[in-house]
Amino acid sequence: MGDRLQKILSRHGIASRREAEQLILAGRVAINGQTIAELGTKADPERDRIEVDGKLLQTHAPQFIYLLLNKPIGVVCTCNDPQSRRTVIDILPSPYKHIYPVGRLDYNSSGALILTNDGEFANYLMHPRHHVSKTYEVWVKDIPNEQKIKQWQEGIMLEGKRTFPAIVNVLQVEHPPHQNSRTLLQIVLSEGRNRQIRKMAEQFGHPVLALHRVAIASISLNNLKSGTYRHLSDREIATLYPSYLTVSVANLSC
């Protein structure tokens, strides 16, 4: 009996469930001294000795942390960078070095990013079927006409697959002297393809000049300054992850 190994690793904050699967397939996980390289293997952390890269897994799941960070430009959304660039983990104080980002924001993009050590929570937010919305403010070159805005709202073919409908509003148009005009768009997406806004803007002939994510679902940056973070409230976590309240009550009763 027991749970699937990737679920246990996720619940213990080692990685999201998807990333935990990659750890297993890479042969970096062992149960009772035997390396496991197949998905579907079950274990009981209270009875079995589970190791990741030779480090013993704690019997009980750690206390979960949920942070909202305003990611600056020039920082990568990863825990370790082979190019030695500054990462989002480098921004955080030492007690939070064991958490990881949920999803990604480009190196040249800024804004709202959630970090956690709750793998189930991370897996829920990143799963395509949950359509967690994200709101962006995006400066693009020149002024998109109404037809292009409508196409963006309805969805277009991008890399062989149609994009989901999106909310696209024009917030501001500027005509700087001796420079090209630019337009500030508010864009709300319910899917998370890689560099989707930049690719769509390029396809429309209005490349992105600056991209800032202002909200994830109803969780807004508000006055959170660039490079700073705050803890999510229980209410905020529950709006993102409906199972949170059930899990919290269960933990309190243990």
Side-chain angles (χ1 to χ4, degrees):
M1 297 298 291
D3 288 325
R4 289 178 181 268
L5 190 53
Q6 59 264 39
K7 184 175 181 180
I8 294 172
L9 297 181
S10 175
R11 189 167 62 235
H12 280 68
I14 301 300
S16 69
R17 195 181 301 185
R18 190 178 306 171
E19 292 169 335
E21 291 175 351
Q22 296 305 312
L23 291 176
I24 296 168
L25 293 173
R28 296 169 59 185
V29 184
I31 300 177
N32 301 323
Q34 180 179 355
T35 299
I36 304 298
E38 294 183 1
L39 301 179
T41 303
K42 292 186 176 182
D44 182 346
E46 295 192 3
R47 296 183 179 182
D48 297 312
R49 181 182 178 88
I50 303 172
E51 296 174 276
V52 180
D53 293 334
K55 185 176 180 180
L56 184 65
L57 192 72
Q58 298 177 13
T59 302
H60 301 288
Q63 180 178 1
F64 290 137
I65 297 169
Y66 309 87
L67 300 183
L68 176 67
L69 171 72
N70 187 346
K71 185 191 95 66
I73 293 173
V75 175
V76 291
C77 287
T78 184
C79 297
N80 298 287
D81 181 57
Q83 300 179 40
S84 298
R85 294 172 295 181
R86 193 183 187 203
T87 73
V88 290
I89 303 302
D90 293 331
I91 295 175
L92 302 175
S94 55
Y96 302 133
K97 297 299 184 183
H98 62 294
I99 67 177
Y100 48 86
V102 180
R104 294 287 184 267
L105 261 179
D106 293 339
Y107 181 79
N108 292 318
S109 300
S110 62
L113 180 72
I114 291 174
L115 299 99
T116 187
N117 61 337
D118 183 345
E120 294 296 300
F121 171 75
N123 185 68
Y124 181 92
L125 290 189
M126 290 189 290
H127 201 290
R129 76 168 177 264
H130 295 130
H131 302 295
V132 177
S133 66
K134 298 177 179 66
T135 304
Y136 302 84
E137 291 184 356
V138 185
W139 283 102
V140 298
K141 184 179 178 181
D142 298 325
I143 307 171
N145 59 35
E146 290 185 9
Q147 181 180 1
K148 290 180 180 178
I149 295 294
K150 184 177 181 181
Q151 288 177 324
W152 203 328
Q153 292 170 336
E154 295 176 348
I156 63 170
M157 293 300 296
L158 184 67
E159 299 177 335
K161 183 180 178 181
R162 192 168 189 84
T163 61
F164 283 13
I167 297 172
V168 183
N169 296 313
V170 176
L171 298 181
Q172 187 177 343
V173 175
E174 290 187 354
H175 305 276
H178 312 298
Q179 296 182 38
N180 290 326
S181 299
R182 64 177 189 165
T183 304
L184 178 62
L185 302 175
Q186 179 197 62
I187 301 174
V188 183
L189 299 182
S190 59
E191 61 180 333
R193 296 203 216 174
N194 183 40
R195 296 174 60 85
Q196 179 175 338
I197 291 177
R198 293 182 183 274
K199 290 176 180 178
M200 293 182 74
E202 192 74 34
Q203 188 164 316
F204 282 124
H206 298 279
V208 168
L209 303 175
L211 187 152
H212 182 65
R213 186 157 68 197
V214 297
I216 299 172
S218 61
I219 314 302
S220 175
L221 286 175
N222 291 327
N223 297 321
L224 193 64
K225 295 181 179 179
S226 178
T228 64
Y229 66 92
R230 67 171 177 83
H231 289 266
L232 295 179
S233 68
D234 287 346
R235 182 184 297 274
E236 288 176 321
I237 300 167
T239 62
L240 294 169
Y241 183 42
S243 300
Y244 175 73
L245 290 180
T246 302
V247 173
S248 299
V249 171
N251 288 340
L252 288 173
S253 63
C254 292

